[in-house]
Amino acid sequence: LSFAFVTQGLAGEKCKNITIEIMQKHIPFSFPPDTKIISQREVGGLCEVIVNIQGRDLPIYVGKDFIILGQMFSNKKNVSNEEVKKLHSQKFLSLKKDIDKAVAITYTPSSTAKHAIYMFTDPLCPHCQKAGNQMEEIAKEYNVKVKVVFCPFRGRKNAIEAVCRNLDFSTYVKGDWKKEGKTEKSQCKKGQELIETSIKLAKKLGISGVPTFYLENGKIVVGANIPQLKEALAELTGKKEKKKF
């Protein structure tokens, strides 16, 4: 409720009385019944409305007699994307305790590691595999824990298997375990419940693709963007990123 109050409080006059029903009048299709407004603010003389539609947060720009579906750019920056990321960061921080309970695998590079990064991943995602293979080295470089939370768009049974077999991080990211043919026999109740919980949390966060990384401070890095991830970790830990010449 407090979050809703804050976002509404920044809305301004342009967003006054904007509702799902008002926006519905301007589009030739129907919003799904569970569509919700999660944020409103004035941008460029319009009301930017972030709506959650079937788990995805999408920007809509509302004028006096029209609406625009899409993203807004200003000075080479994606204004819409930055606002959605900000909202997702706030969601993450509000759900952090629940997310910690949904962590399936943790890699701790040393006993002095104080910070953590959360990797939302799918065992059958090739980009996740690529990023995962670099995470041990990155964790050691910045001395951060890596917490794996499954968001399986394709590999649900494989994710359950990883939990039920109690795989360590090195074994998991190497990936050879997926070729051992133990998936169907490794579908325990504990794994099923954990993956069900993590999927629900991923939906609440609006995660639509993996890998997605959340730093403990809510900073988001989408995709296997290792340079951006290292930059965010350098900022979090205060450690300068190594530059290659």
Side-chain angles (χ1 to χ4, degrees):
L1 289 175
S2 60
F3 173 70
F5 174 78
V6 171
T7 53
Q8 281 292 121
L10 298 174
E13 288 296 317
K14 296 289 183 180
C15 295
K16 191 174 182 180
N17 300 322
I18 298 297
T19 63
I20 295 294
E21 291 72 27
I22 292 294
M23 293 187 290
Q24 184 67 77
K25 293 179 180 180
H26 297 292
I27 57 175
F29 56 86
S30 298
F31 287 117
D34 60 346
T35 300
K36 297 178 182 178
I37 293 176
I38 61 172
S39 172
Q40 294 180 335
R41 63 170 183 157
E42 288 188 17
V43 181
L46 300 173
C47 176
E48 178 190 74
V49 184
I50 306 296
V51 295
N52 184 276
I53 300 177
Q54 296 180 333
R56 295 188 63 189
D57 295 333
L58 302 173
I60 298 177
Y61 294 90
V62 185
K64 183 178 180 182
D65 300 305
F66 63 90
I67 67 171
I68 300 171
L69 303 178
Q71 297 184 328
M72 179 181 289
F73 291 81
S74 178
N75 296 319
K76 298 184 179 180
K77 291 185 178 180
N78 188 325
V79 178
S80 307
N81 193 42
E82 288 302 313
E83 181 65 11
V84 170
K85 277 189 174 183
K86 178 181 174 182
L87 292 171
H88 285 191
S89 293
Q90 292 173 336
K91 282 184 184 179
F92 172 81
L93 293 174
S94 69
L95 292 169
K96 192 168 176 292
K97 288 184 179 180
D98 292 328
I99 293 169
D100 272 313
K101 294 177 183 177
V103 171
I105 303 169
T106 301
Y107 174 68
T108 305
S110 76
S111 60
T112 60
K114 297 180 180 179
H115 300 290
I117 180 171
Y118 297 75
M119 180 179 179
F120 285 79
T121 185
D122 183 329
L124 298 186
C125 160
H127 296 293
C128 299
Q129 181 82 29
K130 178 182 176 182
N133 285 330
Q134 301 177 68
M135 290 311 296
E136 279 192 51
E137 181 182 342
I138 291 171
K140 290 176 183 177
E141 181 179 347
Y142 294 96
N143 197 27
V144 295
K145 296 179 183 179
V146 180
K147 298 185 177 185
V148 175
V149 183
F150 285 116
C151 179
F153 292 96
R154 296 170 54 204
R156 184 188 182 107
K157 285 189 174 182
N158 299 89
I160 294 171
E161 176 187 359
V163 175
C164 296
R165 292 179 62 182
N166 197 30
L167 298 181
D168 60 45
F169 187 75
S170 296
T171 303
Y172 172 74
V173 296
K174 189 176 180 181
D176 291 344
W177 59 275
K178 289 179 282 187
K179 303 174 185 177
E180 295 174 0
K182 297 181 180 180
T183 305
E184 294 299 331
K185 294 181 180 180
S186 305
Q187 299 296 299
C188 64
K189 184 178 180 181
K190 173 188 173 182
Q192 292 171 346
E193 291 177 347
L194 186 69
I195 299 309
E196 185 66 29
T197 298
S198 63
I199 288 173
K200 289 179 180 178
L201 287 168
K203 286 182 178 179
K204 287 182 179 180
L205 289 170
I207 294 175
S208 57
V210 287
T212 293
F213 297 91
Y214 279 88
L215 277 63
E216 63 180 34
N217 59 4
K219 180 103 178 184
I220 308 168
V221 176
V222 178
N225 191 332
I226 300 303
Q228 186 180 356
L229 181 60
K230 286 187 173 183
E231 184 180 334
L233 284 169
E235 183 180 341
L236 174 69
T237 62
K239 181 176 181 178
K240 292 184 179 180
E241 182 183 349
K242 295 179 181 179
K243 293 185 179 181
K244 296 181 180 180
F245 296 94

